Amino acid sequence: MSEPTPYDHDRAAYSREGLARLVLADNATEVADGASGLVGTRNDADTGFGGRVSQARQLVDLAERTLESAVIYEVERGSSWAQIAAYLEISAEEAEQRYTPAVQAWNKAFEEPYRLDGTGRKRIPQLPTAAYDPNWACTQLDRWAYLRHVGIDDGQAVSAGLVMAEAVDEQVPSTRTQGVRSY
């Protein structure tokens, strides 16, 4: 689709590596939040038999999605399949075969950031939300990290380290981070 999306300008300020890192951070928060649901015991009696297994299975699914986003991030930052495979404890060929479909889907989403729904009126983003609307993601992820003391008293624990697009590297941090400490 050649029609611009509402977030094209914002997205253009970020490198693909930076966008992939945002997606990884977003997925990691879902894993952390999902894991926290398994910590408390007060409501165990209200959980049906097998319910905690269901929660743990969902956590594994979230972790697998996070691993996939980590591989995409590593590809974007220039890691070789051999380097990625070393940490997966598999061969480079197996790593490439397993994760190439995800990398291809990521690449295709940049060519077509959205598709229209069946009515032809509503845009369905093809990029993960954190990459499609990175300014929103930075605000949410910085707040998440700040509230959980990731990078003690750092209101920009996520957004400050992102690799930005070269052409607008100096402009975006000031507009993106206004009001970050207003939690």
Side-chain angles (χ1 to χ4, degrees):
M1 313 214 150
S2 60
E3 188 176 330
T5 69
Y7 306 102
D8 285 347
H9 176 65
D10 295 342
R11 196 169 42 253
Y14 297 81
S15 68
R16 285 182 45 146
E17 177 184 337
L19 293 171
R21 186 62 179 94
L22 274 176
V23 172
L24 175 55
D26 189 45
N27 287 337
T29 64
E30 290 183 29
V31 171
D33 290 343
S36 70
L38 288 168
V39 176
T41 61
R42 186 170 305 280
N43 295 323
D44 282 355
D46 300 330
T47 303
F49 292 116
R52 296 300 181 203
V53 172
S54 173
Q55 283 181 279
R57 180 66 230 169
Q58 288 175 334
L59 184 59
V60 169
D61 292 344
L62 290 170
E64 288 173 354
R65 188 170 68 210
T66 303
L67 176 58
E68 191 174 270
S69 64
V71 169
I72 291 169
Y73 167 67
E74 288 297 336
V75 167
E76 285 292 349
R77 72 187 283 228
S79 296
S80 69
W81 286 113
Q83 291 166 322
I84 292 167
Y87 289 100
L88 294 171
E89 298 177 349
I90 59 177
S91 71
E93 295 77 25
E94 187 178 353
E96 186 173 7
Q97 182 179 17
R98 185 180 300 174
Y99 293 101
T100 291
V103 172
Q104 288 174 336
W106 169 258
N107 290 333
K108 185 176 184 212
F110 281 95
E111 296 167 18
E112 295 181 37
Y114 70 94
R115 65 176 174 76
L116 295 177
D117 71 353
T119 67
R121 293 179 291 199
K122 183 177 178 185
R123 295 175 187 213
I124 310 290
Q126 301 303 292
L127 285 167
T129 302
Y132 188 77
D133 187 356
N135 289 348
W136 175 86
C138 282
T139 299
Q140 298 303 311
L141 293 166
D142 280 338
R143 183 173 292 131
W144 187 96
Y146 182 79
L147 293 173
R148 286 158 185 83
H149 304 289
V150 175
I152 304 298
D153 293 330
D154 185 353
Q156 297 176 314
V158 176
S159 62
L162 295 175
V163 176
M164 304 300 288
E166 293 181 24
V168 292
D169 195 29
E170 298 303 314
Q171 298 173 352
V172 173
S174 62
T175 61
R176 181 185 70 239
T177 58
Q178 289 176 350
V180 165
R181 296 190 71 107
S182 63
Y183 321 82

